[in-house]
Every structure is written in structure tokens, then in C-alpha cells.
Amino acid sequence: RLREIALTELIESILIAQKARELKISVTDDELQQVIRQVQEEYGGADIQAIVEEQGKSYQFWLKAQQERLLREKVFDVEMASMIAVTPEEVQQYYERNTEQYDHPAQARASQILTYEKSVAEQALQEIRKGVDFAQVAQKYSESEDAQNGGDLGFFARGVMPPEFDEVIFSLNIGAVSDIVQTPYGYQIFTLTAEREAQRVAFHDVKDQIASAIKQQKRMMATDLWLLDLQNNAKIVLNHQVIKQVN
């Protein structure tokens, strides 16, 4: 099976290279160097050659693979430009058909203090009511992982957190602090720090994202058809005796 996959990839690579020569398309040294710089940035500026060789691969083979990938993309862009073009109407229609993706329910932002002993929770609540900052008290007493962030739970909609949380948090006013609540997790104190109204992301804020997604989808479909057509119109001769000897 691996031999078949490798053979298919090799045939595709040769056919694309032939098409590139026919179209007078090539990859420049500057384009290849730009890819190397991008990969280096992804690795925090590390030496790519050293990384590739640490993985047991040949750096020259890696460079060749990058060059072939670039050549493939350039050929596809020329050959399939009309097939993957996206019109403003398509983008608008996608948005209108999928508005639920862009509807965000009302959200609350809250902080918590979690203790396993009621007496500790009572002490924490007493300090808060004396005017000590909730975040400071959370850092001092809370057993939750978010204690170092002052107990901040971030923004969330109803149904995301456990029901015991929602019942308390969504009944508070901004800045209010709850009484001690016993939950399956322990003894908890909550405060509501902010709210967001339900909203729909505007079309102009997501149109570029939608266009990119549609183009990518079209490209995937068009690539398979284009490669199939390329193979059907090519003369491919396989030496099965030699193929069987490849390890």
C-alpha cells in the first residue's frame, strides 16, 4: 500500500513538473528562501537544517520537497484560477444560509473562589465584605486552578458551565458577590464582573474569512478533478518488475 501511495505521488509530481515547463512556471530562489524564513519564524528563528537533520531527514531532500510544493501551488493557481474564483454573491449567500454560525448568545464574565472547607469559604467571604479585592482573596484562599488569575472564569454563555454556576452567576448584578454556594466541587463564592448582550457578527467582519473558506473548498474539489484529467491525458508507462523491487 505504501508503495502504491509513493508511486501515485511520484506520478503526480512528474506530471505537474511537465505542466510547469509547458506553462513556463518555475520557483525562484527568493521564493524558496521566503518559505525557509517563514518556517524559521514558526520555530522561533531556529536553524531549520539542524531541526530537519535531527529528525533523521536530509536537508536537501526537505528543500526539494518545499520547491515541489511551491511549484505545485503556482501551477494550480494558474490552471484553476477560473475554477476556484469566488463571487461576492456566493459569499453573501453563504452568510445568509449560515447565520446561526455568527449568532452569539448573551454572555457573562465571572470570577470564583473554590474551597473544600466551609470555614475557609466563610473567612474568604468575610474579607470580601470588609472591602478586600475579590481577586486578592481568590489568590489567597481558592483551591481552583484559576486562583492565580484572581478566579477569573472568562466570558461564557448559559449552558457552558455547570447548572449550579449558571443559577447563581446569571442572577447577579455586575459587581455583586454571591453568598457561599455548596456545589459538587466544594464551597464556592462568585462575582459577576461583566456582561455581553446577544449579538450577530456583521457580514463585513467575516466576508473575507467566508471567501477564503469557499475558495479552499473549491480548490480541494478542483484539484482532484484537475489531477485526474492530467493523468487521463498523459501517457504513463509503468515497469512493474522494477516497482516490485523497490523497498
Side-chain angles (χ1 to χ4, degrees), residues 94 98-104 201 209:
Y94 181 93
N98 297 277
T99 50
E100 70 281 354
Q101 293 184 24
Y102 308 105
D103 285 338
H104 296 308
V201 179
Q209 176 187 333

Side-chain angles (χ1 to χ4, degrees), residues 23-246:
L23 297 171
K24 294 182 170 54
I25 294 174
S26 62
V27 174
T28 67
D29 288 339
D30 286 344
E31 289 171 331
L32 188 57
Q33 289 302 317
Q34 185 177 350
V35 169
I36 295 171
R37 286 193 294 270
Q38 288 174 346
V39 176
Q40 281 182 320
E41 288 176 8
E42 291 172 6
Y43 280 89
D47 182 354
I48 298 303
Q49 182 170 347
I51 292 174
V52 170
E53 290 175 353
E54 281 175 10
Q55 295 172 349
K57 301 175 184 177
S58 162
Y59 182 64
Q60 292 304 316
F61 182 82
W62 181 83
L63 281 178
K64 187 173 183 294
Q66 300 307 310
Q67 190 173 33
E68 288 180 353
R69 181 181 61 80
L70 278 175
L71 186 66
R72 183 187 186 102
E73 290 177 358
K74 291 180 77 171
V75 171
F76 284 175
D77 286 342
V78 171
E79 286 286 279
M80 297 187 295
S82 61
M83 299 172 69
I84 62 176
V86 179
T87 66
E89 290 75 20
E90 287 178 289
V91 178
Q92 183 72 47
Q93 287 171 8
Y94 181 93
Y95 178 80
E96 292 173 355
R97 287 197 305 266
N98 297 277
T99 50
E100 70 281 354
Q101 293 184 24
Y102 308 105
D103 285 338
H104 296 308
Q107 294 180 314
R109 184 172 188 173
S111 295
Q112 69 166 344
I113 293 171
L114 167 66
T115 68
Y116 301 129
E117 296 180 18
K118 189 175 182 181
S119 59
V120 177
E122 289 171 343
Q123 179 63 33
L125 185 58
Q126 186 178 8
E127 291 190 18
I128 292 169
R129 287 179 173 166
K130 285 182 178 179
V132 182
D133 181 65
F134 189 98
Q136 285 183 282
V137 178
Q139 290 170 351
K140 182 178 179 181
Y141 292 105
S142 184
E143 302 285 348
S144 178
E145 290 182 1
D146 48 49
Q148 59 184 358
N149 297 322
D152 183 28
L153 296 169
F155 278 100
F156 53 90
R158 284 183 181 272
V160 174
M161 293 292 184
E164 298 86 357
F165 289 34
D166 284 357
E167 185 178 347
V168 176
I169 292 168
F170 284 94
S171 67
L172 294 173
N173 293 320
I174 293 178
V177 177
S178 74
D179 292 327
I180 296 169
V181 182
Q182 187 173 4
T183 73
Y185 309 96
Y187 296 94
Q188 294 183 260
I189 305 167
F190 298 100
T191 182
L192 181 67
T193 57
E195 290 179 320
R196 285 178 181 164
E197 294 182 358
Q199 61 178 332
R200 173 175 293 175
V201 179
F203 173 70
H204 64 78
D205 290 332
V206 292
K207 64 179 182 180
D208 291 342
Q209 176 187 333
I210 294 173
S212 178
I214 295 174
K215 186 173 183 178
Q216 183 62 25
Q217 187 177 34
K218 284 187 173 186
R219 187 185 182 112
M220 289 174 63
M221 296 174 63
T223 298
D224 291 339
L225 292 172
W226 183 80
L227 285 171
L228 182 62
D229 184 62
L230 200 61
Q231 291 188 39
N232 289 338
N233 289 291
K235 182 180 179 181
I236 303 172
V237 180
L238 303 178
N239 188 328
H240 292 284
Q241 285 299 116
V242 174
I243 292 171
K244 287 179 181 177
Q245 295 171 14
V246 176

